């Protein structure tokens, strides 16, 4: 398990909340395959009630960062909910727009050299 630096997480959340995009600070579950059934969704939700998303990529980045002593956080834009695969409900363009909007305030507040 990797826990991002609390001060960095707080700075990210404050910058995002100040700019208006919806922001949730929550654990991201690392999974080896997408959750595609309601039963598995319920099982994960029961075991990890605070989880905000599931992903495969972030853990590898966190492992590499930890190995080199570099702080890391995971910023995600969610395009679809966990559960049965309903591709018609995926909102990939909207998620990419949200991610782009999130990086605008971060580029001038958090990701600046002191």
């Amino acid at each position: 398990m990797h826990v991002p630096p609390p001060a960095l997480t707080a700075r990210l959340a404050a910058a995002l909340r100040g700019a208006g995009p919806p922001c949730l600070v929550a654990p991201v579950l690392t999974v080896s395959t997408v959750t595609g059934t309601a039963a598995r969704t319920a099982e994960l939700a029961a075991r990890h009630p605070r989880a905000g998303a599931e992903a495969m990529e972030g853990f590898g980045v966190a492992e590499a960062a930890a190995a080199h002593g570099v702080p890391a956080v995971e910023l995600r834009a969610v395009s679809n909910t966990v559960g049965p695969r309903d591709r018609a409900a995926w909102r990939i363009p909207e998620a990419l727009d949200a991610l782009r909007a999130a990086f605008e305030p971060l580029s001038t507040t958090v990701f600046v050299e002191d």
Side-chain angles (χ1 to χ4, degrees), residues 3-107:
V3 177
L8 179 56
T9 301
R11 286 177 59 199
L12 285 167
L16 291 172
R17 289 183 180 129
C23 174
L24 172 68
V25 176
V28 175
L29 298 182
T30 300
V31 294
S32 60
T33 185
V34 295
T35 299
T37 67
R40 178 72 173 147
T41 301
E43 175 190 342
L44 288 173
R47 287 178 46 205
H48 307 280
R50 293 188 52 244
E54 71 175 24
M56 295 176 224
E57 307 83 5
F59 186 78
V61 173
E63 281 283 298
H68 295 280
V70 176
V73 297
E74 184 172 6
L75 177 64
R76 298 200 70 89
V78 178
S79 61
N80 57 288
T81 60
V82 174
R85 311 291 288 164
D86 179 6
R87 290 179 187 229
W90 291 6
R91 301 290 177 253
I92 295 172
E94 293 88 342
L96 292 174
D97 286 344
L99 196 57
R100 193 172 7 268
F103 271 95
E104 287 179 24
L106 296 180
S107 68

